[in-house]
Amino acid sequence: MSCWHRSVGDDFASFASLLSFCDEYKTNIAPAGCVRDIREFHHQGIISLVSGWQSAEGLIVAGEPELGNLRAYRELGLRICGIAYNVANQFGGGCLDPQVGLTRAGHRLVEEIHRSQIVLDVGGHTNEQTSFDAIAISAGVPVICSHTNVRALNDNPRCSTDRMLEAIARTGGVIGVTAFSDFHVRKASDAQVMRTPQASLDRHLDQYDYLKRLVGTDHIGLGPDFLSGRNDPGRLSAADQLVMAAEAYSQETPWFYIEGFESIDELPNVAQGLLQRGWSDADLRKVLGENWLRVYEAVWGA
């Protein structure tokens, strides 16, 4: 792996800590602000770090949206931004609040994200109505879903419908496929089941095959959503249960990732599995990074 998209806390202290981390390990990892950085660091054997937010709640200050702060966060390294994390906020609805659309503040947020040359992240944590509303005002700009799975293969509210996946692809965007087990096997009807079993690697590979048929290989990427070192949050608090609802997430931890793809060092299992299913080297290169680089370059510039 040569590039890591990492979710960052929604405050300046989180960015300061991340920059200090990169300083401490500068021979191994460095923040990347453009595709040129990613390519140059790759030649040097350094991992590129791309910072993202899964929701835009960091722009809410004293109860009011402060969209002017987005530029400051971009200067600190923010390059990808979502709208809502599972539940509704002042900008729009999360996947657990499916009827909430993009608000007036959300409309301004999407415009500011594009103006700031930040990649807009829709679907997945953000509900479909809000996502469709955001796409409608994103003409000519590719948008992504950084990490989701296919609802047609598993009826989980964190997964995306064909309609959503096709809409993202039509923008020229990319859909990142997660390795989170629950999104492969836990259905909305499993809300009373404390913990669903670990999904197989074949179940995971089915996601790529389905997307290949639905939108083509130009719109598929990795989005494993690994929580290395903290995939066991322990007992979920009442507040956590509101955003990690039982119809989407196992309430008993630790949470599983795919058997055979439980960490990034097992990525060769995914690549080999797709090759065995008849995927070409060219298509595999797209999924392993070329598609993400294309979108980054289109939004950030070279």
Side-chain angles (χ1 to χ4, degrees), residues 142-165:
V143 305
I144 68 167
C145 185
S146 58
H147 54 300
T148 191
N149 293 95
V150 178
R151 193 175 297 187
L153 295 178
N154 185 57
D155 184 20
N156 183 302
R158 259 293 275 113
C159 299
S160 299
T161 66
D162 287 4
R163 187 166 161 254
M164 184 79 258
L165 299 168

Side-chain angles (χ1 to χ4, degrees), residues 81-96:
C81 186
I83 298 174
Y85 187 93
N86 291 1
V87 296
N89 60 24
Q90 291 195 28
F91 301 116
C95 63
L96 300 177

Side-chain angles (χ1 to χ4, degrees), residues 98-281:
Q99 305 307 317
V100 180
L102 194 70
T103 66
R104 291 179 64 187
H107 192 290
R108 291 168 45 226
L109 168 68
V110 171
E111 292 178 332
E112 191 61 32
I113 286 173
H114 293 323
R115 188 179 299 115
S116 300
Q117 294 180 281
I118 293 172
V119 175
L120 176 62
D121 191 357
V122 300
H125 288 297
T126 300
N127 77 24
E128 296 214 332
Q129 185 58 60
T130 294
S131 297
F132 284 128
D133 291 344
I135 289 173
I137 56 173
S138 300
V141 182
V143 305
I144 68 167
C145 185
S146 58
H147 54 300
T148 191
N149 293 95
V150 178
R151 193 175 297 187
L153 295 178
N154 185 57
D155 184 20
N156 183 302
R158 259 293 275 113
C159 299
S160 299
T161 66
D162 287 4
R163 187 166 161 254
M164 184 79 258
L165 299 168
E166 289 172 323
I168 292 169
R170 281 195 297 270
T171 72
V174 177
I175 299 136
V177 181
T178 88
F180 194 72
S181 180
D182 274 348
F183 302 159
H184 293 69
V185 295
R186 188 177 186 85
K187 296 177 172 57
S189 58
D190 290 329
Q192 301 306 312
V193 178
M194 289 300 292
R195 180 163 150 184
T196 38
Q198 187 176 26
S200 67
L201 182 62
D202 275 337
R203 194 79 173 255
H204 182 62
L205 298 177
D206 289 344
Q207 304 270 323
Y208 297 91
D209 280 342
Y210 187 93
L211 287 169
K212 182 180 181 182
R213 293 190 298 269
L214 182 70
V215 298
T217 56
D218 287 341
H219 306 289
I220 310 171
L222 299 174
D225 199 22
F226 288 131
L227 300 173
S228 299
R230 55 188 185 93
N231 63 345
D232 185 0
R235 184 178 179 84
L236 296 177
S237 67
D240 286 339
Q241 289 173 6
L242 289 176
V243 294
M244 304 292 184
E247 62 264 35
Y249 300 82
S250 289
Q251 301 297 287
E252 183 179 290
T253 61
W255 285 326
F256 291 134
Y257 287 90
I258 294 299
E259 184 178 6
F261 192 29
E262 297 179 76
S263 61
I264 199 60
D265 61 306
E266 292 184 315
L267 178 60
N269 293 338
V270 175
Q272 187 62 35
L274 292 176
L275 288 171
Q276 290 173 349
R277 289 181 175 216
W279 285 54
S280 69
D281 287 347

